[in-house]
Amino acid sequence: MHVLFTRPIDDSKDLILKFKSLGHIVSSIPVISIKKKEYSKIDFSSFKGIIFTSSNAIKFLDIKLLDKNIKCFCVGNATELLAKEKGFQNIFSAEGNVNNLKEIILQNFKSSEGKLLYISGETITFELDKFLISEGLNVKRVINYSSDPIEKFNEILIDDLKNNVPDIVYIYSQNSAISFKNLIKNYNLQNHWMNTNLMCISEKTSSVLNDIKWKKIFLFNPGEEEYLLYKI
């Protein structure tokens, strides 16, 4: 099958290699760019737990003064892997599902333990901090990166996309969906997707692209990409 990934290349490279090793044709057209945002100095000693809903949140966080034995809650496998590489010792992972993540946090962190630090991007699909606060936890959210749409693409890539329409497209965020939809409209690709399966990380994400005619739309959690190949 021909698979298209739309995340920044650093976030997709392991999956690209994996899918190629399985004999699939793989294309990569990143539709967003990730940029670091400046944030106020953090007194890490004030927190007894830390939450990451993206590996980018770890990449752009200065953790030299952070106790790596702190309870570390990660949304999925890629985030967990990077947390381990950075030296975190006490990791709880939700395997890619923010709904599972909130339950894991509630099961493993009590309000009596102290404050939680939530590191995230500027745009989030679920307001995890507000949910946890409503459950009685003390949470501070710090934004340390943004996801900016890419508006111009290499014409050779676009021509190749027109001539070799993917069987599967993976979309990982609402921002990515918006940017991918703009790509489709700006390059007159609206009628190319009737035999393509769209894989989206959430209903909010898929709703952006609902007016495009797809073969089928699936929802998935990061880490399930290979498994989904066998559902088609």
Side-chain angles (χ1 to χ4, degrees):
M1 279 187 282
H2 181 193
V3 180
L4 173 65
F5 289 106
T6 58
R7 286 198 297 182
I9 192 70
D10 285 346
D11 296 325
S12 299
K13 58 186 178 182
D14 290 340
L15 275 172
I16 290 172
L17 291 173
K18 174 67 173 178
F19 277 39
K20 284 184 175 179
S21 73
L22 294 171
H24 300 290
I25 300 167
V26 183
S27 298
S28 175
I29 301 181
V31 295
I32 58 171
S33 63
I34 307 298
K35 296 181 181 178
K36 180 179 180 179
K37 287 184 69 72
E38 296 302 320
Y39 56 90
S40 300
K41 185 177 179 180
I42 301 170
D43 179 8
F44 290 115
S45 66
S46 300
F47 300 94
K48 299 302 181 183
I50 191 165
I51 305 167
F52 298 115
T53 48
S54 164
S55 58
N56 291 309
I58 303 176
K59 290 177 188 176
F60 297 119
L61 183 66
D62 184 353
I63 59 173
K64 292 192 294 292
L65 300 178
L66 176 59
D67 180 4
K68 305 307 185 301
N69 289 311
I70 193 172
K71 286 187 177 180
C72 176
F73 298 95
C74 295
V75 72
N77 296 333
T79 308
E80 178 188 12
L81 180 60
L82 185 57
K84 287 180 178 178
E85 290 177 3
K86 295 294 185 179
F88 287 93
Q89 301 295 315
N90 194 11
I91 300 173
F92 301 81
S93 178
E95 300 183 354
N97 188 317
V98 73
N99 288 318
N100 290 345
L101 178 62
K102 65 185 185 184
E103 296 304 322
I104 286 172
I105 294 170
L106 292 175
Q107 290 167 12
N108 293 280
F109 195 91
K110 305 303 179 186
S111 59
S112 57
E113 294 182 58
K115 294 170 65 177
L116 279 165
L117 177 62
Y118 173 31
I119 309 295
S120 76
E122 195 169 34
T123 303
I124 53 177
T125 56
F126 178 76
E127 293 180 325
L128 180 61
D129 54 330
K130 292 184 179 180
F131 169 80
L132 294 173
I133 290 169
S134 74
E135 293 291 319
L137 296 181
N138 189 342
V139 184
K140 177 179 175 61
R141 180 185 173 201
V142 173
I143 297 168
N144 71 340
Y145 73 93
S146 64
S147 303
D148 299 324
I150 295 174
E151 297 178 353
K152 292 187 178 181
F153 297 87
N154 186 302
E155 294 288 348
I156 294 174
L157 284 177
I158 299 301
D159 287 341
D160 186 55
L161 194 61
K162 289 179 178 178
N163 295 325
N164 301 282
V165 179
D167 300 295
I168 300 173
V169 176
Y170 286 96
I171 305 288
Y172 286 82
S173 69
Q174 194 170 7
N175 276 357
S176 293
I178 293 168
S179 187
F180 190 66
K181 186 172 183 177
N182 288 336
L183 181 156
I184 289 173
K185 289 188 173 181
N186 291 342
Y187 292 92
N188 297 315
L189 297 169
Q190 290 92 330
N191 299 318
H192 285 66
W193 309 99
M194 287 183 288
N195 294 312
T196 299
N197 292 288
L198 177 68
M199 309 293 186
C200 289
I201 201 167
S202 67
E203 288 186 8
K204 275 188 175 181
T205 303
S206 67
S207 67
V208 175
L209 294 159
N210 274 345
D211 59 341
I212 306 294
K213 291 184 178 179
W214 305 94
K215 183 176 182 180
K216 198 168 182 180
I217 297 176
F218 295 86
L219 301 182
F220 77 100
N221 297 314
E224 296 178 346
E225 290 90 345
E226 182 182 347
Y227 166 73
L228 284 174
L229 296 178
Y230 306 105
K231 290 183 66 176
I232 298 172

